[in-house]
Structure formats: structure tokens, C-alpha cells
Amino acid sequence: MTNRTRARALAALAVAALAAGTALTAGTAPAGAASAKSKQPRFLSASQLPPHPSSSWTAGPVTDGFPEQLAYCLGEGVPAYDYRHRLFHTDLDTQAVQVTTVTGSAAKGKALADHLAKVIRGCADRLEQQYPDVEAEGRYYGALKVEEGAKVFGLQTKTSYGAADINLLSVGRDGRTVTIVGWGQMGGFKDAPVAAFKKTTKTAVNKLY
């Protein structure tokens, strides 16, 4: 099954978020962000993602902007910063994404990370309220001790027409820099590689600088 086929279950949610005028790309950069560009945070490589049992990961280029692949959960309430992201995919039905942004200070970084974690925690309830044909359940998998910390979440969605997806999301911080890691494929909580994803999240935060 191709990535295009797998994406159909949540594609409508992303499109709806975009159509509603949600800001998925950065607005005016906060003070201090311009100088931070001299030392951009590093991204995960394909080999650092949770292993796929029957396919290998391919990493795309690092691109400016907030990815529409996360619109289903983070399409609203994303503060305007200069985001950069990298997409990953396998030959089958699994996708991943990493987003980073450099805020103006460690305090602003903490505020952004806390806000994003709160938005992710409420994702399941928002999906059910906005889309009557979607049944969603969220789980919190705990905090990780890495740099200034990271939090890991799971989201399972099922539609009335039978499509089911499982997504893992994490938010981590190193000083004023915040990163989001997302992973998803068809299936449910039983199919989620939580331990491997936690390892990937730790790597993502440690690798920023």
C-alpha cells in the first residue's frame, strides 16, 4: 500500500484545517530568531527512526514552514515562529516528520513546548467534536529525561467507513529550541512502537546541537 493510499484517512482533516485558514507556516519571526539562523538545529536521519519490519526509511530534504502532515492535530493554536521540517516515508504505509523552531529565549522555548504538548493532549477530543464520523483516543506515554525534557503521546483514530490510523507525537526542548516528532501508519495502539519512538525522540532532542 502506498503512502498516498494510507494518508486518505486523515487527509480530509488536514485539508479542512487548511481551508479554515489555519496558519501552518511561520508568521513574523520573534526577536532573536534571525540571529539563531547562524546555527540551525540538526534533524534526524532516516536510520534514527523506529525500525520498520519490512521496509527502509527515506528522508526528504529540510524545508521551511510548518508541515501540513500535522494539521490534523496541530492545525490550530500553533504560534508564529520560523519552523523548519523534514518528512520521512517507507515504501509501505508508514510516515514520519520532524519539526524544529528556535525561539527568542529559553523561557519562550519552554512556553512553546508546554503549549504544543497541551494542544496535542487535547487532539482526540477536538477531532471527535469537529468530525462526527471520527472516533479518536489519545494516550500520554510520559516524560523523557533529555536536555530540558520531552513528552510523548499517542493518538488512535477510526472512521465510520473503517479506516484506522495510529500516530505517535512528541515535543522536546533544548534551551530555546523546540522540536516535534511525529510517526504514523495504519493500525491501532497495539501497532505503535512506543519504546523505539521514545528512543527516536531522545535522539532528536540530543541531536539538535
Side-chain angles (χ1 to χ4, degrees):
M1 181 178 292
T2 65
N3 286 318
R4 185 181 298 275
T5 301
R6 180 236 165 239
R8 288 175 182 168
L10 288 175
L13 309 184
V15 170
L18 290 168
T22 327
L24 295 182
T25 55
T28 303
S35 61
K37 289 185 177 180
S38 60
K39 187 179 180 182
Q40 294 281 20
R42 294 179 297 163
F43 281 75
L44 291 165
S45 63
S47 63
Q48 293 168 326
L49 293 170
H52 192 280
S54 59
S55 182
S56 58
W57 286 97
T58 298
V62 175
T63 306
D64 290 338
F66 197 92
E68 65 180 51
Q69 284 77 6
L70 293 180
Y72 69 92
C73 190
L74 290 166
E76 297 181 0
V78 178
Y81 281 98
D82 284 337
Y83 297 96
R84 299 166 74 229
H85 68 274
R86 171 177 256 180
L87 302 179
F88 306 84
H89 67 87
T90 68
D91 295 333
L92 298 175
D93 65 346
T94 310
Q95 300 180 49
V97 60
Q98 183 184 7
V99 186
T100 67
T101 189
V102 181
T103 67
S105 66
K108 290 182 178 180
K110 181 180 185 305
L112 177 60
D114 290 345
H115 175 76
L116 293 172
K118 182 179 179 180
V119 173
I120 292 173
R121 191 184 290 271
C123 184
D125 289 340
R126 290 196 307 275
L127 289 178
E128 290 191 335
Q129 291 172 5
Q130 295 175 20
Y131 306 99
D133 64 333
V134 172
E135 178 183 336
E137 179 185 351
R139 292 184 182 179
Y140 177 53
Y141 288 114
L144 303 178
K145 293 183 179 180
V146 54
E147 297 298 343
E148 276 67 61
K151 295 180 178 179
V152 180
F153 304 86
L155 175 68
Q156 177 181 271
T157 58
K158 297 179 181 179
T159 66
S160 58
Y161 52 86
D165 281 279
I166 177 64
N167 288 270
L168 297 175
L169 293 156
S170 63
V171 179
R173 182 171 70 91
D174 182 356
R176 62 179 179 173
T177 300
V178 177
T179 190
I180 308 166
V181 181
W183 171 99
Q185 68 175 30
M186 294 177 64
F189 284 121
K190 62 181 176 61
D191 305 302
V194 177
F197 184 76
K198 286 183 175 182
K199 181 179 179 181
T200 292
T201 296
K202 284 187 174 182
T203 300
V205 176
N206 277 322
K207 190 177 180 180
L208 289 170
Y209 297 107

